[in-house]
Each structure stands twice: as structure tokens, then as C-alpha cells.
Amino acid sequence: MASTIVESGRAASFLKGGGEMGALIRAHDWPATPLGRPESWPQSLKTTTGLMLNTEHPMFVFWGPEHLCFYNDGYRPSLGPEKHPTMLGAKGKIVWAEIWDIIGPQIGQVMAGEGATWHENQLVPIVRHGRLDEVYWTYSYSPIHDEAAPNGVGGVLVICNETTDAVLSRRALAESEARFRAYANSTPAPVWVTDKNGAMIFANDQFKEDTGKADADVRGSGWIALIHKDDVADVAARRAAAWEAGHRSYSFTARFRHHDGQWRWLEALARARFDEAGGFQGYVGLAVDRTDAIEAQKELAESERRFSLLTNLAPAIIFFTDRDGKVEFLNQRWFDYTGQSEQHSGLRDWEKAVHPDDYGKGADVWRDPAARRADYELRYRRADGAYRWHLVRLEPLIDDRGEVSGWFGAGIDIHELKQGEEHRKLLIDELNHRVKNTLAIVQGLAFQTFRGADAAPEARKAFEGRLSALAGAHNLLTESNWSFADLKSTAAAAMTGCTAAEAVSIDGPAVALSPKQAVSFAMALHELCTNATKYGALSVAGAKVSITWRIDGETDPPTLRLVWRETEGPPVSQPTKRGFGVRLIEQTLAADIGGQARIDFHEGGVVCVIETPLAPGSAHR
């Protein structure tokens, strides 16, 4: 259809211009609407339409009782394809069905002659691009006067701005601030925000709780006033250094006044804030109370100072190693003793002071993850070049997981003690040699004495057996430098002269006998063995002898109880007189060991019970 606004080859002047919407209005089939041709429109509509088309401000017109729609290019960007351009000249109630319950009453108020309305950031959701968008507007509804219309109002002029972005931005900012406040107030550490002049505009609950200040006291004040005066300069210097280096954040540790009046050490981080244009807006600060840690560090430093003083005063060499035995610390005694210089050689050359033959001692301890305390001896070179023996003790350092994290070691000079032990060993070896020679001479004299025709062979044999038992006990004591003899070994040695020793069973816990006890037990068991060989269980095949003992730990000191028992041998009868062997056991032995001994001649076999107190440490040696 041809344009409805062309008259005599010229367009109606009030519809000139207007860009896309001007062209669409000029081309619209207005005669098909209740308005008819534009030249017949009411003058107020013509004037308003011309004004609308010649401004870039978003404008909209509802006209007549059917609220026919007009709008300009400024309004068009707010519409989606669902409404543009089909809504031009359409009925408002149909076009804006999704929001008519909002704008209908507002339009009706103006059309009723009740005056203009104003709406700021009004939520008016509209359908565009296939969905109902959350859209906010700031707009006014103004009457378009027409004397011919009811109430003198022919339509409504809408002057508007879509404020969706601004509203959503403010909402996002408010939500962000709310989240920040919620996060900050849930943080168990002081948090604050300042403006560009350093005045606080926010402080979280923990900050106010720690300082004992109300929100009104905090807001607008300078947090720097809460810092100890001796720390202010350092904080300012750190901030200046950060800015000079191009950093906008800085950290510091300073004392803050607590609400109880005490100064607490806080470790703080201050991060600069900037607006969208990059303008500095202030700082966000967060602090963590480090008082306990700093005090602990001070106590640790003091403890280390005392430890260093103690280790350097000790007359022993003290060292630490890692778990693999690498030395990490040597006390001053080491450097004074070896002549090494801590500044010159450090901890790396400590092994140069170890005797080459002793290097590597203790390594087996370090290599064993289950190792515990260990002692070993090695030689260190003194500053004058002499090597001297040291006793070194290693103690593991156990971590929280129960694993060895390192070793603590201490060494003391035992050179004179070592030499004394070697000298004593020399003397004992010489004594043992002379005792053996003496026994050999005694045995030779006995042989010469008993070889005559008048000498009884049994007497000579008994004497030699007793002498052999005595020598056997001496041999066992010689192996331990005359310090102790094992009871089981003593009993076994005493049985070696018996013809049926294989019939003897020996059983009992480990017991260390003193030299005097060892000799006495050896002689007593030899006598019992000799008697059993002649008359008792060892004189016939199939009989048995058991030597058993136990320790009564309930007595103080503990008591050793040894039992000699013969079984399955020939019948035994009570002797008419006590022989030399019986008297040796029941009288001499009992006196020597400070205990008691008793021999019972039961019909089933001889039983001898010997009891003696044990010295501390004799059992389970």
C-alpha cells in the first residue's frame, strides 16, 4: 500500500526525520487504525510525535482508549524482536500483556486526569529474545492533553531510561559487600578497610572484639593509632618501600593494643584497593595473632642459648647428627680438644680427627632404623697430635611418629682408664699363668707323694680329681678376668671327669657366680659326681642325674636354690658315718657361699640341695 502520509507529493511536516522509527511511522497503514490519516490526528498527538521523533532520549506514547503504541529510535534498543517493529500502532494491553498488571494502573491514573507519575529503578520485566528479562527502568508517565478526549487527556507520554545495568551493578556490589562482611566477620582474625587517607571505613567483629572498640569508635579512626609507638616507623617504612618497588601490598609485624591493655604481636598484610579507573582507594588489612609463636621463638632462642652455654661448659665432647649420622653440631670442647677451627673447617672435617682404624664405628647404629642407645670406643686426635681413647654414647632423637630423626652423642676421654684396664688384664693374665703353674707344681708333688707302694690309688685319684675340678673353675674365671663364672658352664666343667657324664642333665636360668662361689660349687658338684660314680646313679647303666636350679626373687637378696637329684640307680642307704665329701659340701661349702647345703640319702637316690644368696645383678647377666 502506498504511504498514507504523502499529500500533494510532500510528507506531513511533523513526521519528518526520526531515523528508522520515523520511516516506519511514515510507512505505517494508519487509515486501517482508529486514528486514521496522520494529517487528521489531534494536534497534541502531532506535536508529541514530532517531539518524540526528533530526540535521542528514549520516549514512548500510549494514545487513546486503546493505548496505541508509538516509540522512537532511542527506545528501540530496549525491545526484542518479539515487539519491534510489530508493536507500532498496536494496542498496549496486547503488546505489554506480561506487565500490564504493573503499567496498566499507572497509565489509567494519568488517563483519568490524576496527573503525572514518577518511577525510579522500577522492576518492569519484559519479554525479549525469547525470555522474560529482569529489567529496571526510571521513567515518568505524563498526560498528553486533548480537549476532545475524556478527562481532557488523549494519551500518555513515557520518558524513560533503562537502568538494569546500574541496578544489577549496585545489587552485585551490595551482595559483594555483604559477602565480604559475612566472610570478614566469620574470620577469627582482625580485618579492616581504610579509605585513601588511612581512615577506617570497616572493621570486622574480631577487630572490634580484640580492640574493645565499638563500630562508631572504629569508623573514621586511623588503625595506625592502635600500633605500639616503637613499631610505627617500621610499618611506615615497609609501606613506603613497597610503593617505591612498585608493589601495592606490604606485610609487617607489630604490636597492637589489646582490649585488656596488653600489647599483642600481630602479623599483618595490607593490600591496596583500586577503583575501575585504577585510582587508589585505600587498603584492606588482615592480621594474625603471632604473640604465642613469637614468645615461643624467644623462649626457643633463650633455650638454645642456655643449651649452647651448657654444652660448651661441659668437659665432654657433645655433638648432634642427622638420621644418617651426618654431624650437624659440635660443641666448643671439640674444637678446643682437637684444635680444629669452626670458622675454618666447620662441621665437614670432624672425621679428620678420628683415628683411621676407628673411622666408621657407630655407622651400624645409624644404618639400623630400629637402633636405640649404643656405646662404642674410638680414638680422637688431640691438638698436640696424640690419639686418645674416648667412650662415645649415642642416643636417638625420636620424632612424633616414633622414628629416628637424628642422634645425640657425647664422648669422654677414657685414655687413662683404658690403659689401666690393659694393665690390669696384663696382671690378671700373669696371675692366671702363675696359678696354673702353681697347680701344676702341686699336682707334680702329689704325684711324687702318692706314687709309693703305700699310697692308696683311690686317694691319689680323688686328690687329682679335686685338683682338676679346682683348675676347671679357675679356667672359667680366667675367661672373665676373675669377675664371674656362669653356673651352667661351671656345672658342665665339674661333670667332665665323670665316666657317665652323658647321663647328667643340667638346666636352669643364667646365673653369674662370684669367683668364691664358682670354686665352691665346682668342688661340691665334683664330690657329688665322684660319689655317684662309685656308689650311686652313675655307677649303673640307665640311671639318671639331674642338676637344676631356680631363683627365688621374693627374698632380699634373691636366693639361688640348686638341686642335685639321682634317680633309677641302685638302692641307697643312710651311711654310718659322714665322709670327706659330705663334710666338704655340708660344712665347708655352706660356710664359703654364706648359705646352706644338705645331702639326703633317700632310698630312691641321693638328693643334695644347696641354697645361697645372690649378689645384685647375678641373675640374667
Side-chain angles (χ1 to χ4, degrees):
M1 179 179 293
S3 172
T4 61
I5 63 172
V6 178
E7 298 175 0
S8 304
R10 62 184 180 85
S13 60
F14 73 91
L15 293 179
K16 289 181 179 180
E20 178 188 352
M21 291 309 302
L24 289 174
I25 291 175
R26 289 192 293 271
H28 193 72
D29 186 12
W30 294 110
T33 69
L35 275 175
R37 293 180 178 277
E39 59 270 22
S40 63
W41 291 355
Q43 185 57 45
S44 57
L45 177 59
K46 292 180 180 181
T47 301
T48 302
T49 302
L51 174 66
M52 178 185 69
L53 291 177
N54 289 281
T55 181
E56 295 182 359
H57 194 88
M59 298 182 76
F60 195 99
V61 171
F62 292 102
W63 184 263
E66 294 182 329
H67 309 110
L68 302 182
C69 297
F70 297 79
Y71 57 99
N72 64 357
D73 280 356
Y75 188 85
R76 179 179 51 78
S78 295
L79 300 172
E82 295 86 353
K83 290 183 171 57
H84 175 73
T86 56
M87 67 179 286
L88 180 63
K91 296 178 180 179
K93 187 174 183 179
I94 296 175
V95 171
W96 297 107
E98 72 271 27
I99 58 171
W100 196 252
D101 60 331
I102 299 175
I103 66 174
Q106 297 171 357
I107 294 172
Q109 177 182 339
V110 177
M111 294 291 288
E114 296 180 10
T117 63
W118 172 257
H119 309 275
E120 188 171 357
N121 295 324
Q122 173 76 42
L123 172 61
V124 186
I126 64 174
V127 174
R128 55 187 179 186
H129 304 291
R131 66 174 182 269
L132 184 65
D133 273 356
E134 180 182 1
V135 185
Y136 292 86
W137 308 83
T138 293
Y139 59 95
S140 65
Y141 280 0
S142 301
I144 302 173
H145 297 289
D146 182 7
E147 294 181 358
N151 304 314
V153 179
V156 176
L157 173 63
V158 182
I159 300 175
C160 59
N161 275 320
E162 183 179 344
T163 60
T164 302
D165 290 343
V167 170
L168 294 182
S169 294
R170 284 196 294 272
R171 179 197 295 171
L173 177 61
E175 291 175 350
S176 175
E177 289 182 349
R179 286 194 299 270
F180 171 77
R181 289 174 179 273
Y183 168 77
N185 285 327
S186 66
T187 301
V191 176
W192 66 93
V193 180
T194 74
D195 62 16
K196 63 180 65 179
N197 297 318
M200 284 191 290
I201 59 176
F202 170 78
N204 73 337
D205 293 343
Q206 190 65 49
F207 186 102
K208 290 178 283 190
E209 179 181 338
D210 287 352
T211 60
K213 294 182 178 295
D215 191 67
D217 299 327
V218 171
R219 187 176 296 274
S221 64
W223 62 269
I224 200 76
L226 301 173
I227 295 179
H228 194 287
K229 61 183 180 61
D230 293 342
D231 300 330
V232 172
D234 178 65
V235 174
R238 289 178 178 272
R239 179 172 56 187
W243 278 92
E244 185 176 350
H247 304 302
R248 297 299 181 259
S249 300
Y250 65 99
S251 60
F252 60 89
T253 301
R255 286 162 289 183
F256 282 68
R257 185 183 293 278
H258 200 256
H259 67 81
D260 59 6
Q262 301 296 316
W263 292 100
R264 304 283 296 179
W265 284 100
L266 297 186
E267 183 177 331
L269 172 66
R271 186 180 297 277
R273 300 188 300 113
F274 299 91
D275 59 22
E276 295 181 356
F280 174 68
Q281 296 297 302
Y283 283 99
V284 176
L286 182 145
V288 177
D289 194 323
R290 301 286 293 169
T291 305
D292 293 342
I294 290 175
E295 294 299 331
Q297 288 175 353
K298 290 180 179 179
E299 292 178 3
L300 176 60
E302 177 60 21
S303 176
E304 289 179 345
R305 187 190 70 81
R306 291 195 299 266
F307 174 78
S308 178
L309 180 63
L310 176 64
T311 57
N312 288 330
L313 287 176
I317 292 171
I318 297 175
F319 59 90
F320 290 141
T321 78
D322 64 12
R323 60 184 303 171
D324 299 319
K326 181 182 178 181
V327 175
E328 296 180 338
F329 168 81
L330 289 164
N331 70 338
Q332 189 61 41
R333 168 70 175 173
W334 169 268
F335 298 105
D336 294 342
Y337 188 88
T338 63
Q340 290 185 351
S341 169
E342 183 177 6
Q343 292 73 23
H344 178 260
S345 61
L347 304 177
R348 296 172 298 174
D349 295 337
W350 70 271
E351 65 271 16
K352 293 180 180 179
V354 179
H355 193 285
D357 294 343
D358 300 335
Y359 186 74
K361 285 187 176 180
D364 56 335
V365 177
W366 294 322
R367 295 191 186 103
D368 183 3
R372 290 298 181 260
R373 176 182 295 177
D375 295 342
Y376 58 91
E377 296 176 358
L378 51 68
R379 287 160 288 184
Y380 288 132
R381 186 182 62 223
R382 200 166 53 185
D384 60 5
Y387 284 100
R388 292 179 62 83
W389 282 101
H390 283 71
L391 172 64
V392 178
R393 168 162 291 180
L394 283 178
E395 186 79 25
L397 303 174
I398 310 299
D399 60 21
D400 294 340
R401 298 174 297 178
E403 298 178 356
V404 176
S405 61
W407 295 88
F408 175 86
I412 59 173
D413 190 320
I414 60 168
H415 197 74
E416 281 75 17
L417 179 62
K418 191 82 170 176
Q419 288 180 328
E421 288 180 351
E422 292 177 355
H423 184 63
R424 186 182 67 175
K425 185 176 182 301
L426 212 66
L427 292 176
I428 290 177
D429 289 344
E430 179 63 21
L431 176 62
N432 290 334
H433 178 69
R434 294 191 179 189
V435 168
K436 286 184 177 181
N437 288 344
T438 301
L439 289 175
I441 294 172
V442 171
Q443 191 171 21
L445 292 174
F447 178 76
Q448 292 294 329
T449 302
F450 290 114
R451 72 176 182 172
D454 295 336
E458 291 186 0
R460 182 175 63 191
K461 186 176 180 181
F463 181 80
E464 289 178 349
R466 289 165 182 153
L467 198 61
S468 296
L470 180 62
H474 278 219
N475 286 335
L476 290 175
L477 291 169
T478 298
E479 293 176 1
S480 64
N481 293 328
W482 282 78
S483 58
F484 70 94
D486 178 61
L487 175 54
K488 187 170 289 187
S489 299
T490 300
M495 296 298 103
T496 56
C498 296
T499 57
E502 67 277 2
V504 180
S505 63
I506 302 173
D507 185 49
V511 175
L513 299 174
S514 68
K516 190 173 184 180
Q517 287 175 324
V519 171
S520 298
F521 269 89
M523 297 300 293
L525 292 173
H526 171 75
E527 293 298 326
L528 290 169
C529 176
T530 300
N531 185 71
T533 301
K534 287 182 178 181
Y535 315 111
L538 299 181
S539 65
V540 296
K544 298 178 182 178
V545 173
S546 66
I547 305 174
T548 59
W549 62 89
R550 62 181 176 83
I551 299 171
D552 184 0
E554 295 183 358
T555 61
D556 187 21
T559 300
L560 170 67
R561 188 174 190 271
L562 182 143
V563 178
W564 168 287
R565 187 182 302 277
E566 300 178 24
T567 57
E568 302 181 23
V572 176
S573 60
Q574 189 73 25
T576 57
K577 62 177 182 177
R578 315 293 274 189
F580 173 79
V582 175
R583 293 197 304 274
L584 174 68
I585 294 172
E586 292 186 334
Q587 298 176 16
T588 306
L589 170 65
D592 285 347
I593 64 176
Q596 58 185 1
R598 183 181 70 258
I599 300 178
D600 294 326
F601 295 89
H602 297 289
E603 182 178 354
V606 173
V607 176
C608 177
V609 179
I610 304 173
E611 294 182 342
T612 181
L614 289 174
S618 296
H620 309 288
R621 183 159 183 167

